[in-house]
Amino acid sequence: MKKIVLAYSGGLDTSCAIKWLGDQGYEVVCFIADLGQKEDFDAIEERAKAAGAVKVYTKDLQEEFIEYFIIPSLKASAVYEGGYFLATALGRPLIAKYLVEIAHKEKASAVAHGCTGKGNDQVRLEVTTAILDSKLEIVAPLRQWEFKSRDEEIEYALAHNIPIDVTKKKPYSIDRNIWGVSIEAGVLEDLEREPPEDAYLMTKSPTHATTYPKYLEVYFEKGIPKKIDGRAYKLRTLIEQLNELGGLYGIGRSDLVENRLVGIKSREIYEAPAAVILHTAHRELESLVLDRELAHFKQGISLKYAELIYNGLWYSPLKSALDAFINITQKRVTGTIKLKLFKGSCVAVSRQSAYSLYKKELSTYGKEDEFDQRLAQGFIKIWGMPYQR
Ligand code: ARG
């Protein structure tokens, strides 16, 4: 019998996929990736088995996700189209890596996922799988099967005793991990509507957030966050704490009409409190320690880096080459940024670094000024010379 490894979430789609793949003649092994989505993984494992999985692997991948995916994206200042910190997109290559690994271990000939044929995630999972082992067959039940609606899937599940939670009405499609949550579908598809408050999971509404500000110091070493308010934390704890705190102050929401790789524009809302706090602090620190040429050049790299993540090219030669560049830029990104969180805004109020290139004696308008203003005249003459008529 052919064996297949399915990336399993515990939801309706992938639960039906277990049975459906079985009907296509596969023995189904499920893989559940814990990327910090805060679910009852024992219950999900049980559900997979009840739906017909012959074996279930559950792996806590959070540490690996943070160290090898989130942190590089933070160093790179990777943000897609100005408001998406790429939580979902960053998780996919890691999930694919383990699909391939488990397929090898189980001597399976195929892998499967529960993505639709309209999104970016199918691309990310399949491109990564093919990069890591092009011989593996890839099956995407949702692109092939006969069900035309969620109701038909529910009927199928009930008819085959696939355990599902039909009582829970599901107004949105949600993907969550430790770096943030992506929320789409339902009323969000109507661009003229403000997202309803009940769509948000991690953040308080800025309108109802605490009415006094919170000050917070983040210390970075070579571009990596190490301390909050002077106390050292493991990255996982640090991110969890910032999600919690940022959420209370209404930090981290965004509402985007974005360009999908498959050519569709779609509306999605995001919540990423820790990501917003850390990206803000990191950017502020860079503005202190990177010289103009490097800073401006890096902006272009950041855009490219975000695009590579979004478009599923994490394991590409260009991505490795950009990492080498970015790591050099981070050598001096060490220092402390104090932020003020208040009703959805997150701004720097104090900046410190031993590598700071800011020289008060040059920028001051006070009497300590050491900048020789007489030199400016000649500089301007030569600078503008090529353009004179
Ligand atoms: N638009 C985001 C991306 O392409 C998230 C996709 C998944 N979103 C979801 N709600 N299931 O990365």
Side-chain angles (χ1 to χ4, degrees), residues 107-302:
K107 301 199 178 359
S109 61
V111 299
H113 60 71
C115 305
T116 71
K118 300 178 68 167
N120 299 308
D121 289 325
Q122 52 174 348
V123 181
R124 298 166 185 150
L125 288 168
E126 294 185 29
V127 166
T128 308
T129 300
I131 290 173
L132 300 176
D133 181 354
S134 60
K135 287 191 198 64
L136 281 170
E137 183 200 355
I138 301 170
V139 184
L142 277 80
R143 291 199 300 240
Q144 282 172 252
W145 66 23
E146 56 280 17
F147 313 123
K148 289 192 181 59
S149 67
R150 214 180 146 73
D151 286 341
E152 283 184 32
E153 278 182 58
I154 292 173
E155 240 171 73
Y156 175 82
L158 293 175
H160 294 93
N161 294 320
I162 299 167
I164 50 158
D165 195 352
V166 276
T167 50
K168 226 178 9 188
K169 76 169 190 323
K170 199 173 163 271
Y172 308 108
S173 156
I174 294 166
D175 181 74
R176 183 172 181 170
N177 63 45
I178 191 171
W179 201 228
V181 58
S182 311
I183 307 155
E184 66 177 348
V187 294
L188 298 172
E189 288 171 2
D190 187 352
L191 297 192
E192 291 170 12
R193 273 191 70 163
E194 180 177 356
E197 238 350 271
D198 75 357
Y200 294 101
L201 303 175
M202 299 176 78
T203 56
K204 273 194 154 184
S205 154
T207 316
H208 300 115
T210 321
T211 50
Y212 47 88
K214 166 81 186 169
Y215 291 91
L216 172 80
E217 275 186 3
V218 189
Y219 169 74
F220 288 84
E221 229 170 74
K222 296 190 162 76
I224 302 172
K226 296 279 180 186
K227 295 179 189 174
I228 304 175
D229 290 334
R231 256 191 79 180
Y233 291 96
K234 271 177 44 188
L235 280 168
R236 179 169 169 171
T237 319
L238 186 138
I239 294 172
E240 282 168 352
Q241 296 218 358
L242 292 181
N243 275 331
E244 190 83 23
L245 184 73
L248 287 175
Y249 285 83
I251 310 292
R253 291 184 175 189
S254 56
D255 177 354
L256 284 193
V257 174
E258 75 193 42
N259 290 293
R260 284 193 195 161
L261 178 58
V262 293
I264 300 171
K265 282 192 192 290
S266 65
R267 200 272 192 99
E268 185 131 6
I269 60 174
Y270 297 100
E271 295 174 279
V276 166
I277 291 170
L278 291 173
H279 271 269
T280 303
H282 182 261
R283 192 180 345 102
E284 291 288 348
L285 185 55
E286 281 193 336
S287 68
L288 214 60
V289 301
L290 301 188
D291 65 88
R292 177 181 58 198
E293 293 307 313
L294 188 53
H296 290 185
F297 194 82
K298 190 184 171 232
Q299 289 180 351
I301 300 298
S302 299

Side-chain angles (χ1 to χ4, degrees), residues 45-97:
E45 272 195 25
E46 285 313 309
R47 201 175 305 159
K49 286 183 187 144
V54 295
K55 195 164 176 183
V56 183
Y57 286 82
T58 303
K59 284 187 190 290
D60 180 348
L61 303 179
Q62 289 186 72
E63 312 283 341
E64 185 173 353
F65 185 39
I66 294 167
E67 183 173 349
Y68 296 104
F69 294 80
I70 291 175
I71 292 296
S73 79
L74 175 64
K75 288 178 178 175
S77 311
V79 188
Y80 188 69
E81 296 190 345
Y84 174 34
F85 293 86
L86 297 159
T88 299
L90 283 164
R92 300 311 181 186
L94 180 57
I95 292 171
K97 179 186 158 199

